[in-house]
Amino acid sequence: MNNHNNQNTGCSIDDELIEKELEEFDRLMSDEVIYISDTSEAGEGFEQTGNSSTTAETSLPFPDGAVKLTHMQGETPTEDCMTLEDILQPHKLRKALLSTFILEMDWLEPKFAKSTKLVIVKSYNPDEEPSGVLQTENGRITLINPLFGKQKYPIMHSKLMLLFYDNYVRFVASSANLIQIDWTVLQNIVYIQDMKLDTMQTFTPTEFSIELQKALRDLNVPEQVVDQINHIDTSNVGVHIVTSVPSRRGWQVRDHADAYGMAKLAKIAQKLYPQPSVPGNLDIMSTNVYCYGSSMGRPTNAFLRNFFCYSLGMTWDEIKRQTDSQLTEHEAFRRVKVGFHTNDQGNSNKFGLISRMSIKCQQDSYFDKSFPVDALYKIEPAVPHTLVHAKVVLMRMGPGEHHGWMYLGSHNFTAGAWGNVSTTQLKLTYVNNYEFGVVLPEVRFDTVFGRDHVVWRGSKVPMPVKLSWSPNEEGLPPGFFDEGIEPLEDDADMGNDDGNIAGTPAAQSKVSKPELSTTTPNKELLDDLAAFETEIAELVDPEEPLTDNLASTAVNQEDVLDGQAKEWSERTQHLAHLQSIIKQGLEELDPNESKSDMDEGSDESSEDEYSEFTSWRTGQL
């Protein structure tokens, strides 16, 4: 896991590390790689590959914008789904800007023509890599490590694409990383918009183009790339950009506390639904907010209430005035429905462990007494027996909840992504991650004869999950541990209404004894197994709880993937050993017990499986 104890490295360079990185990229791309300390040097030539309006006009495939789902392996292709190759159109692509939390370069790079210029913004460990730019000598591929401050968990989680063709640019916001499983065995969601490109013309700025340029600069994208937005006609774009930027970068938190995360969402909501002068014009009492992300941190009642308020563009005091205090605080935070998979769904998905590993709920959070269990709802994936990695927010209001807006992008439903906020002003107090997404306004929601119909701009919006959610009464959310091994309630205070986290690390959580019905359990062996599970928890999720008031955010497990390959390898090797011991112990307790879910249908030992998994995961770093 990406458990960084970050230091502000600035642009200092570790010669040994840089040499190692140069060798790796030389292997992948057969080009010499150079480190560029000044990003103004990066992106040179990026602006020279676009064509002017003298070239014949090309019709735009998605001139009004469209929502698509990623195509799932083995499923019949439909017009609602697209592969990464469908989106990229490599044979026509001239240059591309991409951002991703996890980068699988050896899988991604062959999808582009050798002549296509690439700028890739990625997450990284500031303890091991400097901020700045790595670039091939011929300038074809540029890798950007954006600037972090001193937050404990530095995370660049944005998933954005700008794809440049001869006469148009394709804008893509999605929930998918640039790794194979996100485009094959996990359900992700994508927004696509094609816009006219004319390098000889400067178009009138729009809200979208201004916000896009700001988002690119926040990611330290070179100005040569940012300037290209001036030559794109964004006049027909109907979505609103929502970004998050780590607060500890200084000027963002001082001067732009209303420009990111949940506070930015509130500003968009104010535009969509101006506050009425007469109480009751905005149908607050029939509004519900449905939120799904593939990783769940530590949602508190205060976080849920604030998210409900900010989704309407109001503070809690303003909502109380608008409703004449009819809406209680408890009713407010229960209007936020937190969708998630169940553990049964995680175990029974047809792609097995490789898919389940990407759906995470912090178990120490779930079993904490402050966890709002009654806010948790079971979702049903649109494709049966699969798991959903998409991140969506549906704000549905009015009788029947038929209208509202929809968010899609990289934000999981965590305070680390959306931020902690003030209760009296629509401003952020802290946000941890880089994130990127879009809000679709004026969306229509209907379910007719059991079929969901979501419509925006007159076109169908395919959904990764069904619209009907039910309270989760089926047990645990998915986690890393085998079913039946559950932490007991810990008396440590793991959270409070401000979202601050205190108490003991997750690794110190107690575990209950496995329930084995066919034999009489051996207490000593069960205690040993419980101790091993606790040690596994420390290996898999060794993160310390945040104690800094500014760092009052629950960092989910997806958001803390370990960039330290050596440490990860050592932990995984020991983990495989412990899992093997546990398996032998369970077999001793119940000789008739079949293989665990993890090993079912495979002749591989747990060590072999974990070795294979380690190799796969190392490829993501």
Side-chain angles (χ1 to χ4, degrees), residues 196-235:
K196 176 184 175 182
L197 171 67
D198 187 346
T199 58
M200 301 302 292
Q201 183 176 354
T202 299
F203 292 94
T204 302
T206 63
E207 174 199 326
F208 179 84
S209 66
I210 293 171
E211 291 294 319
L212 181 56
Q213 286 185 316
K214 180 167 72 71
L216 297 180
R217 290 188 175 105
D218 284 341
L219 291 171
N220 303 122
V221 172
E223 277 301 310
Q224 290 90 334
V225 182
V226 178
D227 286 345
Q228 290 291 286
I229 307 302
N230 297 322
H231 305 295
I232 301 172
D233 182 3
T234 61
S235 60

Side-chain angles (χ1 to χ4, degrees), residues 286-581:
S286 62
T287 296
N288 288 289
V289 184
Y290 298 81
C291 308
Y292 175 80
S294 60
S295 291
M296 187 189 307
R298 191 184 303 270
T300 64
N301 289 336
F303 177 73
L304 299 180
R305 180 204 61 199
N306 290 336
F307 199 88
F308 178 76
C309 296
Y310 277 57
S311 296
L312 292 167
M314 299 184 186
T315 64
W316 174 236
D317 288 340
E318 289 169 337
I319 285 183
K320 286 191 294 184
R321 287 196 298 269
Q322 292 292 343
T323 61
D324 291 329
S325 297
Q326 294 179 48
L327 187 69
T328 67
E329 188 168 0
H330 181 271
E331 290 171 337
F333 61 67
R334 285 302 168 266
R335 291 184 180 275
V336 177
K337 320 294 184 183
V338 184
F340 211 66
H341 284 288
T342 65
N343 200 38
D344 286 343
Q345 289 175 320
N347 289 336
S348 63
N349 90 88
K350 63 184 180 181
F351 296 112
L353 177 65
I354 197 72
S355 183
R356 179 183 171 183
M357 284 293 295
S358 294
I359 310 299
K360 285 295 178 186
C361 174
Q362 291 190 22
Q363 293 205 9
D364 66 309
S365 301
Y366 180 79
F367 286 98
D368 185 76
K369 58 186 178 182
S370 66
F371 187 89
V373 177
D374 53 343
L376 198 59
Y377 281 70
K378 176 186 176 181
I379 59 99
E380 291 289 348
V383 179
H385 307 297
T386 62
L387 298 179
V388 179
H389 187 260
K391 299 92 170 64
V392 295
V393 177
L394 310 177
M395 205 276 267
R396 303 176 61 180
M397 60 172 56
E401 301 181 350
H402 291 308
H403 71 276
W405 53 257
M406 172 182 175
Y407 165 87
L408 67 89
S410 71
H411 291 74
N412 279 304
F413 190 59
T414 66
W418 287 106
N420 286 319
V421 296
S422 168
T423 57
T424 58
Q425 303 179 63
L426 295 177
K427 291 185 179 295
L428 284 173
T429 58
Y430 177 79
V431 65
N432 186 79
N433 304 356
Y434 285 99
E435 304 280 1
F436 189 97
V438 295
V439 170
L440 283 64
E442 300 178 15
V443 176
R444 176 78 182 180
F445 304 94
D446 286 296
T447 300
V448 181
F449 298 115
R451 291 179 174 269
D452 293 336
H453 297 272
V454 182
V455 178
W456 178 71
R457 281 192 161 187
S459 297
K460 174 186 176 183
V461 176
M463 295 296 297
V465 298
K466 296 180 179 179
L467 291 183
S468 297
W469 296 10
S470 58
N472 181 14
E473 300 174 350
E474 300 185 19
L476 297 175
F480 189 85
F481 309 106
D482 288 342
E483 198 170 25
I485 307 297
E486 306 172 4
L488 293 173
E489 182 176 346
D490 197 328
D491 56 5
D493 180 18
M494 299 299 290
N496 57 42
D497 283 347
D498 294 326
N500 296 327
I501 302 172
T504 58
Q508 296 176 6
S509 298
K510 303 172 185 177
V511 293
S512 64
K513 313 223 178 357
E515 296 180 3
L516 300 172
S517 58
T518 57
T519 62
T520 301
N522 178 298
K523 185 178 185 305
E524 182 178 348
L525 180 56
L526 287 174
D527 288 340
D528 289 341
L529 294 180
F532 283 137
E533 289 290 350
T534 299
E535 189 171 357
I536 287 175
E538 184 175 16
L539 290 168
V540 176
D541 186 14
E543 65 190 55
E544 299 272 330
L546 305 180
T547 55
D548 190 318
N549 286 334
L550 283 176
S552 55
T553 175
V555 181
N556 55 65
Q557 291 188 15
E558 180 202 346
D559 288 348
V560 288
L561 294 172
D562 194 345
Q564 303 179 24
K566 181 179 179 181
E567 181 182 354
W568 167 251
S569 178
E570 292 173 351
R571 280 201 222 107
T572 307
Q573 184 177 3
H574 188 45
L575 177 61
H577 177 65
L578 293 177
Q579 288 287 83
S580 178
I581 293 174

